[in-house]
Amino acid sequence: MEEKLWDAAVVGAGPAGMTAALYCARAGFSTLMLEKLSPGGQMATTNEIENYPGFPGVTDGFELAERMRAQAESFGVQTENAEVLALRTGGEEKVLVTKKSEIRARSVILAPGAAPRELGLPNEAALRGKGVSYCATCDGAFYRKKTVAVIGGGDTAAADAVFLSGLCEKVYLVHRRDKLRASGGYTKKLQKENVETVWDSVVEEILENEKGRVAGVLLRNVKTGETRALAVSGVFIAVGNIPATDFAKGAVPLDEAGYFTAGEDTETGVPGVFAAGDCRRKPLRQIVTAAADGAVAAYAAERYLRGE
Ligand SMILES: Cc1cc2nc3c(=O)[nH]c(=O)nc-3n(C[C@H](O)[C@H](O)[C@H](O)COP(=O)(O)OP(=O)(O)OC[C@H]3O[C@@H](n4cnc5c(N)ncnc54)[C@H](O)[C@@H]3O)c2cc1C
């Protein structure tokens, strides 16, 4: 028997995928959402969300994810636990290859997200949410009037340091080279009394206090080999993100960093294939922007399915 032809298949059940699926199903399209882990994406890994509109106070990301999943499924979205390994986009019918089957769909919304690049230090994962953060916009407010370190030298690191300098007592910007990779505009913005750049340095160790929270960082100067400890209560690691787009290589255009080149309209350049959320090139990667992308992608898919 021939497998069902879905109107819309959504890859990834983070906020982008769940919103896209909700909008597609609510518009009357048969919608399958594929998720390799459990629904929620990155937001399900934090219990401290303060900036999602409509949820005042501190919200648990797992709970927010459960609400989004239930809402999408209430409109008829079918969720399947499967990893998409490859995508074929040749004709009217798109094919998503998983370990168990080949799924056919008239339109595809790609929302596989991205993961922050880690430093690879032994206690880094254990201290995540206990002083280690990969997102200043998300967590900066928790470090008001405290001393923090930002690790990295690109635009994100520089922007994080500038943002945190407005909240924190002191910000160290730690970079492994002797000049920033960040665009020139940041040099002036970083000239603030409470920002100190530490050049030629890498994090050797994240120091912990007796409560199991970050107490500081031990830095090593890559030129002299000297070490120096900084007492900080937060370490913001901004050394890049890894988009989960490998499965779409060759089928959908990617930029040099591996993000889908789709812009705000979520159009990937492949008819009937759209990209939403952290997986695409964009200036701000947040739950609210992922959800907004999901709605835009569903709208674009609806228009494609109706032949408009
Ligand atoms: C620790 C942490 C705290 C954060 N705090 C906040 C915050 O307070 N406020 C805020 O606005 N943002 C926060 N963010 C950022 C926010 O969570 C992300 O911007 C948002 O989740 C991106 O949504 P997304 O749907 O694009 O991708 P993701 O959330 O990354 O979801 C993608 C989903 O796709 C799945 N997937 C990937 N590849 C495949 C595949 N091949 N097949 C099937 N499934 C696949 C993944 O398993 C994942 O579930 C935080 C992020 C982290 C990591």
Side-chain angles (χ1 to χ4, degrees):
M1 196 180 72
E2 182 130 293
E3 287 280 329
K4 175 170 177 164
L5 177 63
W6 294 88
D7 291 327
V10 178
V11 182
M18 291 195 282
T19 307
L22 159 71
Y23 272 66
C24 286
R26 198 160 174 267
F29 295 108
S30 62
T31 307
L32 178 68
M33 181 165 70
L34 295 147
E35 169 56 54
K36 67 176 177 180
L37 303 171
S38 54
Q42 296 167 67
M43 76 178 160
T45 67
T46 175
N47 54 11
E48 287 182 330
I49 295 169
E50 267 194 336
N51 60 359
Y52 191 68
F55 289 80
V58 178
T59 300
D60 180 51
F62 183 77
E63 194 186 314
L64 185 57
E66 271 307 292
R67 282 171 176 260
M68 287 189 189
R69 182 194 56 75
Q71 190 179 9
E73 289 178 355
S74 75
F75 288 104
V77 171
Q78 192 169 316
T79 309
E80 193 173 312
N81 184 223
E83 177 172 6
V84 175
L85 302 171
L87 172 65
R88 292 203 297 273
T89 55
E92 293 264 299
E93 270 182 37
K94 285 89 189 149
V95 178
L96 297 161
V97 181
T98 73
K99 209 170 172 184
K100 282 195 204 141
S101 63
E102 296 208 340
I103 290 149
R104 297 158 58 237
R106 293 168 61 214
S107 70
V108 172
I109 297 175
L110 303 168
R117 199 180 291 280
E118 297 175 0
L119 293 177
L121 295 165
N123 56 352
E124 185 176 348
L127 290 171
R128 201 173 174 150
K130 294 174 185 160
V132 168
S133 171
Y134 300 86
C135 176
T137 315
C138 311
D139 299 331
F142 299 118
Y143 296 87
R144 219 176 280 272
K145 305 233 181 317
K146 294 187 175 165
T147 297
V148 299
V150 175
I151 317 299
D155 279 348
T156 305
D160 284 358
V162 173
F163 171 73
L164 291 165
S165 69
L167 295 168
C168 302
E169 188 174 284
K170 166 111 189 173
V171 179
Y172 293 101
L173 177 59
V174 178
H175 186 38
R176 62 187 166 149
R177 303 195 201 287
D178 59 5
K179 57 174 181 295
L180 297 178
R181 268 188 299 110
S183 25
Y186 282 111
T187 312
K188 198 157 174 231
K189 287 186 195 158
L190 286 164
Q191 281 167 6
K192 296 181 89 175
E193 254 181 32
N194 65 341
V195 178
E196 181 180 333
T197 308
V198 185
W199 302 113
D200 298 317
S201 296
V202 291
V203 182
E204 194 86 329
E205 197 183 328
I206 304 173
L207 307 170
E208 260 178 83
N209 64 18
E210 66 290 347
K211 292 182 183 144
R213 291 193 62 92
V214 167
V217 280
L218 184 69
L219 304 180
R220 179 174 52 82
N221 185 300
V222 292
K223 289 190 174 152
T224 64
E226 278 169 25
T227 55
R228 170 188 180 190
L230 298 179
V232 297
S233 39
V235 188
F236 288 84
I237 299 168
V239 295
N241 280 308
I242 308 169
T245 53
D246 268 5
F247 70 93
K249 247 182 210 162
V252 179
L254 300 171
D255 69 10
E256 62 292 340
Y259 291 102
F260 294 119
T261 52
E264 279 172 23
D265 59 8
T266 73
E267 308 262 357
T268 62
V270 179
V273 180
F274 309 91
D278 280 16
C279 62
R280 74 168 184 89
R281 256 191 203 162
K282 65 196 297 194
L284 181 65
R285 294 192 168 86
Q286 290 280 275
I287 299 166
V288 73
T289 59
D293 270 10
V296 174
Y299 175 66
E302 278 171 49
R303 288 180 41 196
Y304 170 82
L305 289 166
R306 295 202 166 102
E308 287 170 19

